[in-house]
Every structure is written in C-alpha cells, then in structure tokens.
C-alpha cells in the first residue's frame, strides 16, 4: 500500500487522518492492502514507470459505521467500526495515528493517545 511505502521511506512513525467524517455514510470502505503485477503480489507499488500502469490494487473491504462522527471529540466515542478502521490502517502502515479530524473546524480534531 502506498501509505506503508511512504511511511517506510520517510521514517514516519505517526500519521494524521483527516476528513474521517467523509466516510460516515459508506456501508463499506475499501482499503488497498497490496498490488498485483501479473502473477506477483507486491507490498509496495513498483517504481518503474513502464510497469506502473499494469499494476492492479488488491482491496480489503471493511465495514462502514453509517453514523455521524462530526460531533465526536474523543477517540473512544467514535463508532467501533471507525475505531477498527483506524486500527487496521495502523497495522497496514506500521505507523500509529496521532490525530483524527472529523470535520473542518479546529474543535473537530481528536488527539489519539498511543492506543496502537
């Protein structure tokens, strides 16, 4: 997945998720977990421009939460499906999530303690 690759090559150990609220209405959320090039499964996208167009993403579908998150101010108040989505992103990227925003306002930022 591209986020895992970016975290690894840049030494990122903490990331931010913005606009989590945009996903509120979705029944499922697709997350790219790897890539397929011909018969090979790749953890990272190829850097060769000649083959990048031949790569297909492999997706994992996670359940959506279909509940509004824009009023949430603490991580433990997020729907369990949203918490699981964030936990899965941590697993896939190898980085923890430090901040989650659930709207455009400054008061719509949730600081995440090192839970993952």
């Amino acid at each position: 997945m591209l986020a895992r690759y970016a975290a690894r090559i840049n030494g990122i150990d903490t990331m931010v998720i913005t606009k989590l609220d945009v996903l509120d209405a979705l029944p499922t959320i697709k997350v790219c977990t790897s890539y397929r090039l011909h018969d090979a499964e790749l953890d990272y996208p190829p850097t060769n421009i000649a083959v990048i167009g031949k790569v297909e993403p492999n997706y994992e579908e996670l359940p959506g939460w279909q509940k509004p998150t824009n009023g949430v101010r603490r991580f433990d108040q997020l729907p369990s499906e949203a918490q699981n989505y964030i936990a899965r992103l941590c697993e896939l990227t190898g980085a923890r999530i430090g901040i989650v925003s659930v709207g455009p306002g400054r008061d719509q930022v949730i600081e995440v303690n090192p839970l993952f």
Side-chain angles (χ1 to χ4, degrees):
M1 103 188 283
L2 196 53
R4 176 177 41 228
Y5 180 70
R8 180 166 285 175
I9 67 168
N10 291 298
I12 296 169
D13 61 1
T14 306
M15 296 193 302
V16 173
I17 295 178
T18 60
K19 300 185 178 188
L20 184 72
D21 57 306
V22 173
L23 304 175
D24 287 354
L26 299 177
T28 61
I29 301 167
K30 285 185 173 183
V31 176
C32 179
T33 57
S34 62
Y35 303 90
R36 186 174 40 258
L37 178 60
H38 306 296
D39 293 331
E41 186 168 327
L42 310 170
D43 287 335
Y44 304 104
T47 55
N48 183 335
I49 195 75
V51 297
I52 195 80
K54 299 174 184 172
V55 173
E56 293 182 35
N58 292 320
Y59 293 107
E60 176 180 326
E61 282 196 33
L62 301 173
W65 42 94
Q66 296 185 294
K67 299 172 190 159
T69 58
N70 60 355
V72 174
R73 297 298 177 266
R74 290 191 354 230
F75 184 82
D76 63 353
Q77 295 174 336
L78 286 170
S80 61
E81 298 87 353
Q83 292 180 34
N84 293 338
Y85 167 74
I86 293 167
R88 184 66 178 131
L89 293 181
C90 291
E91 290 172 11
L92 290 169
T93 62
R96 73 176 205 88
I97 304 299
I99 295 174
V100 176
S101 76
V102 291
R106 291 179 185 235
D107 65 331
Q108 293 177 299
V109 173
I110 301 168
E111 191 169 338
V112 180
N113 291 322
L115 297 173
F116 309 108

